[in-house]
Amino acid sequence: MSTLTLAKALNEGMRKAMEDDPKVLIMGEDVGKLGGVFRVTDGLQKDFGEQRVIDTPLAESGIIGTAIGLALRGYRPVCEIQFDGFVFPAADQIITQLAKMPLRSLGKVRLPVVVRIPCGGGIGAVEHHSESPEAYFTHTAGLRVVACSNPADAYTMIQQAIRCDDPVVFFEPKRRYWEKAEVDTSAAPAGWPPFDQAQVVRPGTDLTVLAYGPMVKTCLEAAAAAEEDGRSLEVVDLRSLNPLDVARVTESVRKTGRCIVVHEAPVYNGFGAEVAARVTETCFYNLEAPVLRVGGPSTPYPPSRLEDHYLPDLDRVLEAVDRAFAF
């Protein structure tokens, strides 16, 4: 066991993938000599060279387009989008090329490209640096979309994403980069949780809380606070957003009878709307209350001084819990 930050766990996971497969490449803005703005790729260019850890121009569309070409030639590129708000210039390449090429070729062409995106707020950043764009990509057929929430998952999931023959959009909760936890770096891949499986991170009996990425920790804190009021909350880390682990979500909600979905992104048309609809469809006769959603307001992400008012916190999660129990 090693005690690693989430950022270091990602680094170690990519390092292991590069050691195991010489076709794995890292590419992005400042990922080489600087080691990335969050130092997630720190030391990789020094150890693997400039041919495998590539500092690219400031051109997100070019980064993804180049990665697609490399994947066509048998490489496994891992692209870093420096900040979440910078992904939109690359959206054309991701949505119209990366997601569609396997079907366009009737499965003859595989594009094992990973697009890493530091996501969410909470770091006091300027505009375009605190977005939550996951719903754009979960709506795009042909992409796998995953989100890690802790160092242990970061270490295993980044390797699973790199090994995957499908294109993967990999969301990393940037405000959790510096949080530490125990990581078993010696465990064999066969012992890792499946890539597309949700995990119950806190068992409970009275209400299911579904979350992913940066909100998992907030929901765990809310569950601990609710326990003091005699309420047992089950917290499920979705981990994979597309495909969604409907079976595990359904199992939890049928047991508890109540459900809230939590994410940083705006509630309106957010990913939580899809989750809430699925839960209602599969658990209608088990529900004691409507499925409730907690997220940001329908407004552009605010200046950093106001972000604490924008981001869902423990109190907003507990307020939703109170509403669920009021039915």
Side-chain angles (χ1 to χ4, degrees):
M1 285 284 188
S2 302
T3 301
L4 302 176
T5 64
L6 193 149
K8 184 61 175 176
L10 288 166
N11 180 287
E12 290 296 318
M14 286 187 283
R15 178 181 296 277
K16 183 66 166 64
M18 296 184 78
E19 291 172 349
D20 291 345
D21 186 350
K23 293 291 188 179
V24 175
L25 309 176
I26 308 293
M27 54 194 298
E29 299 161 7
D30 299 319
V31 299
K33 292 181 181 178
L34 182 66
V37 292
F38 295 105
R39 303 302 186 267
V40 175
T41 55
D42 188 40
L44 296 181
Q45 189 181 77
K46 174 178 173 291
D47 293 339
F48 294 96
E50 295 182 3
Q51 297 299 309
R52 294 189 65 193
V53 182
I54 305 162
D55 279 316
T56 68
L58 306 184
E60 286 77 14
S61 181
I63 294 169
I64 303 302
T66 301
I68 292 170
L70 286 164
L72 289 169
R73 299 293 292 175
Y75 291 92
R76 291 183 176 269
V78 182
C79 306
E80 178 181 296
I81 301 297
Q82 195 171 72
F83 283 92
D84 34 43
F86 299 175
V87 73
F88 299 110
D92 179 38
Q93 291 287 348
I94 295 172
I95 294 169
T96 66
Q97 305 299 335
L98 185 61
K100 292 179 172 56
M101 185 68 77
L103 180 60
R104 188 183 297 151
S105 66
L106 300 179
K108 295 177 182 177
V109 172
R110 310 300 295 183
L111 293 179
V113 176
V114 178
V115 182
R116 294 180 41 241
I117 306 178
C119 68
I123 63 168
V126 297
E127 191 178 24
H128 309 308
H129 290 66
S130 301
E131 307 295 326
S132 297
E134 62 269 18
Y136 294 102
F137 299 109
T138 58
H139 186 69
T140 302
L143 298 175
R144 287 181 179 264
V145 182
V146 300
C148 62
S149 68
N150 59 76
D153 273 353
Y155 177 74
T156 58
M157 289 175 69
I158 191 62
Q159 294 183 69
Q160 290 169 316
I162 294 169
R163 294 179 183 189
C164 182
D165 286 333
D166 299 321
V168 179
V169 178
F170 193 98
F171 285 103
E172 303 167 7
K174 68 171 80 77
R175 66 165 148 155
R176 308 299 185 200
Y177 271 148
W178 303 278
E179 295 180 2
K180 296 181 178 180
E182 292 293 308
V183 178
D184 186 358
T185 57
S186 63
W192 297 347
F195 190 40
D196 55 1
Q197 185 179 90
Q199 295 290 303
V200 176
V201 292
R202 181 186 174 106
T205 57
D206 299 333
L207 181 146
T208 297
V209 183
L210 304 175
Y212 54 89
M215 284 290 98
V216 172
K217 180 181 179 181
T218 302
C219 292
L220 287 170
E221 293 169 349
E227 187 176 33
E228 298 177 4
D229 295 329
R231 291 171 173 170
S232 175
L233 273 55
E234 178 153 294
V235 181
V236 179
D237 182 353
L238 295 178
R239 301 173 76 247
S240 175
L241 310 186
N242 190 11
L244 177 67
D245 188 355
V246 176
R248 182 152 291 195
V249 168
T250 298
E251 179 184 8
S252 176
V253 177
R254 284 179 176 171
K255 177 179 70 173
T256 65
R258 293 179 174 84
C259 178
I260 64 174
V261 188
V262 185
H263 54 56
E264 282 193 17
V267 169
Y268 184 75
N269 273 345
F271 180 68
E274 170 64 23
V275 178
R278 289 296 183 100
V279 170
T280 302
E281 289 172 2
T282 60
C283 305
F284 183 80
Y285 291 106
N286 305 95
L287 289 171
E288 302 289 340
V291 181
L292 302 177
R293 291 173 289 154
V294 179
S298 187
T299 179
Y301 197 89
S304 58
R305 282 191 219 174
L306 300 176
E307 69 177 350
D308 287 344
H309 299 286
Y310 179 95
L311 293 169
D313 59 9
L314 181 146
D315 289 336
R316 279 164 64 184
V317 175
L318 291 178
E319 188 271 338
V321 171
D322 289 341
R323 286 166 53 207
F325 277 96
F327 284 92

